[in-house]
Amino acid sequence: MTRIGQTILMCCVAVALAILSCEDNTINNYYLAEDGFLRGRIAPADSGAVVLTGTTDVMVSIDSSGNFFMNGIQPGNYDVTVYPANYSKRVFEDRIIVAGSGLDFGTIAVNKLPWPILNITPSEGATDVELATTFAIQSYESLNLASLTTGVTFDPPLDGAWREVLLSNGYNYYFGLPYGTSSQTRIRLLPGTSYTVSIDKSITNVVGGSATDDYSQSFTAEPLLVTLYTTPVPGTPVSLRSFHFDLGFNTCVSENAVNEAVRIEPPIGGLWIGDRACQDNPYEIEDGYTEFRLFPFVNSLPPSTEYILTVSGGVDLLENVSLPRDTTFTFVTESPQIISYSPTSGSVVQYLSYVNIDFNTSMDSTSVAEAFALEVLDGDPVPGSYRWYSDYTTLQFAPDIPFQFGVVYVFRVSTAALSLEGAAIEDDIESYFRVR
């Protein structure tokens, strides 16, 4: 218990003894219909005293469980001050006690913040605080903005200005810089950095009160984080041709540094280009972005291949800030697949038609020819020739003689068809068609 707290309690006890010694102001311990009562509890539980000043002066003890009660209080208008032994006081002005009734405070929350401060956000010891976050002081009374400017300091320093918002039960004071296009303000933190906010007891409110003691508390910003997004569907095998890779950071980082920090094994040549600029560029990074997309030097990837993307923890992605450690992501490319073919099963075609098959990767022509078969339904194979297009991704089979009118044909491709890298296609196909 602080010396000031001891002094307050001693004064309260002295006042109470003086009150109780006066015959005209004696507080009876039994209930009188023409009198009222006071009760409540403080949380966390603590001993102390509740002092009423107004129509008469009364002191009520708070027991070790945090409860207080007294009846026989003269009706009237009172200011009620709660003095816990180990927490900051609470003040309730202009409370009325009515004859035959009373004043029930229920549970009164107390804390160790200096009066008149009710709450500070971020809270003491908070970790992983968002890098663009709200800093607010909630107060029971109006504070002087000029005093806040000089009396509240941050280490390391933070940029911003104070703004007052009136609440139904007090005041909120926000500190920071404008955030986006809204009227909100945010403080902008460096990743993984611990901050200490110090509040000098000289901060004064409008009615001339002041904080009892100097106060400080600390919080820590979240570390620098990175996320990999693959397209078209995150978490599934990556498309061999229509693929995208995006890196997202939780703050503004340097485009040049990202290109230095990121490596992919097996290598995929390309450049990481900033895809979304930082909002308001809070750290004044000339080439700063929060999202990046890889612009590759290749048009397709090999199938059924596992890649490891690493973002180095040894490269400063913004001034003196890097990832806490190497961050790795693993992804796999899809297997060889037939993505389209014609004629489709059940279709009717002209007699001068071809069989066309599109693969998602370059194929080994010999294995595809061995895996392919075209025949008359329940009949003989159909001879023909193979033509490849688009770097062995599109096959056209031309029969040696035109298809016969009214005949049903079937063609098949088995999983013996291999890519240039030797990976088998994922599924076989079988398609029936008729010639008109």
Side-chain angles (χ1 to χ4, degrees):
M1 182 173 179
T2 64
R3 180 175 298 175
I4 292 177
Q6 292 173 340
T7 302
I8 291 173
L9 280 180
M10 292 176 63
C11 292
C12 291
V13 171
V15 169
L17 291 175
I19 292 170
L20 294 174
S21 65
C22 296
E23 182 176 353
D24 292 341
N25 292 328
T26 299
I27 303 297
N28 297 311
N29 289 322
Y30 54 87
Y31 182 78
L32 298 177
E34 65 271 19
D35 293 329
F37 66 85
L38 173 75
R39 70 182 173 200
R41 65 182 300 272
I42 62 172
D46 193 17
S47 59
V50 180
V51 176
L52 288 75
T53 57
T55 303
T56 185
D57 293 330
V58 180
M59 187 187 78
V60 182
S61 295
I62 304 173
D63 64 26
S64 59
S65 297
N67 297 303
F68 57 89
F69 174 79
M70 177 172 281
N71 59 25
I73 300 177
Q74 183 178 343
N77 191 64
Y78 293 89
D79 291 338
V80 180
T81 306
V82 180
Y83 291 102
N86 297 288
Y87 295 89
S88 294
K89 69 179 180 179
R90 289 289 307 270
V91 177
F92 303 90
E93 297 179 334
D94 296 325
R95 300 304 169 101
I96 297 174
I97 293 180
V98 179
S101 182
L103 193 56
D104 188 347
F105 280 95
T107 300
I108 299 173
V110 294
N111 59 44
K112 294 190 176 183
L113 295 172
W115 174 265
I117 296 173
L118 168 62
N119 188 43
I120 299 176
T121 305
S123 60
E124 163 63 21
T127 58
D128 293 330
V129 176
E130 290 185 5
L131 302 182
T133 195
T134 298
F135 183 87
I137 294 178
Q138 187 176 356
S139 174
Y140 296 112
E141 298 183 5
S142 177
L143 302 176
N144 183 284
L145 291 180
S147 295
L148 283 173
T149 301
T150 58
V152 179
T153 57
F154 299 90
D155 184 23
L158 293 172
D159 295 328
W162 289 98
R163 180 170 64 93
E164 181 184 78
V165 175
L166 177 63
L167 304 175
S168 60
N169 61 343
Y171 301 83
N172 259 358
Y173 294 89
Y174 295 99
F175 179 83
L177 296 170
Y179 184 75
T181 57
S182 69
S183 60
Q184 297 178 335
T185 58
R186 294 285 192 273
I187 51 174
R188 290 154 189 183
L189 308 176
L190 288 172
T193 302
S194 292
Y195 290 84
T196 298
V197 53
S198 298
I199 302 175
D200 191 275
K201 65 182 178 181
S202 64
I203 65 169
T204 56
N205 56 50
V206 171
V207 296
S210 64
T212 305
D213 299 295
D214 293 343
Y215 178 80
S216 67
Q217 67 179 42
S218 300
F219 58 89
T220 303
E222 65 182 349
L224 183 62
L225 301 174
V226 60
T227 304
L228 172 68
Y229 304 93
T230 58
T231 302
V233 182
T236 63
V238 172
S239 173
L240 303 182
R241 287 190 283 184
S242 57
F243 59 88
H244 292 292
F245 302 103
D246 298 275
L247 288 175
F249 293 86
N250 59 342
T251 190
C252 187
V253 299
S254 164
E255 185 177 85
N256 292 335
V258 167
N259 279 288
E260 179 184 351
V262 179
R263 66 180 184 273
I264 303 176
E265 294 293 338
I268 300 176
L271 290 174
W272 292 94
I273 306 297
D275 193 44
R276 193 179 79 178
C278 289
Q279 190 174 48
D280 298 332
N281 200 4
Y283 302 111
E284 298 181 357
I285 297 176
E286 184 175 349
D287 62 342
Y289 296 86
T290 56
E291 290 186 5
F292 297 81
R293 172 161 291 185
L294 177 65
F295 284 74
F297 299 149
V298 295
N299 294 321
S300 63
L301 299 174
S304 304
T305 303
E306 181 179 270
Y307 287 87
I308 298 177
L309 184 149
T310 302
V311 186
S312 173
V315 175
D316 285 351
L317 297 174
L318 56 95
E319 186 177 357
N320 298 321
V321 177
S322 60
L323 291 169
R325 62 191 66 83
D326 286 0
T327 301
T328 60
F329 304 93
T330 301
F331 61 90
V332 178
T333 56
E334 63 186 2
S335 59
Q337 297 175 19
I338 295 173
I339 56 178
S340 67
Y341 58 87
S342 66
T344 57
S345 195
S347 61
V348 178
V349 301
Q350 301 292 332
Y351 75 101
L352 292 176
S353 296
Y354 304 99
V355 174
N356 298 287
I357 304 173
D358 288 320
F359 297 88
N360 64 344
T361 188
S362 299
M363 300 298 292
D364 170 59
S365 59
T366 301
S367 66
V368 173
E370 294 174 351
F372 177 85
L374 172 64
E375 59 190 36
V376 176
L377 182 63
D378 298 327
D380 297 327
V382 177
S385 58
Y386 298 91
R387 301 170 186 169
W388 285 96
Y389 302 94
S390 303
D391 197 22
Y392 286 87
T393 61
T394 298
L395 169 65
Q396 184 179 85
F397 181 82
D400 289 343
I401 59 175
F403 292 120
Q404 301 177 48
F405 292 101
V407 175
V408 175
Y409 293 83
V410 58
F411 74 87
R412 302 177 179 88
V413 182
S414 74
T415 54
L418 306 176
S419 70
L420 287 180
E421 296 82 9
I425 63 172
E426 190 171 281
D427 299 297
D428 57 13
I429 63 168
E430 186 174 76
S431 181
Y432 298 86
F433 61 94
R434 185 171 60 86
V435 181
R436 65 162 58 103

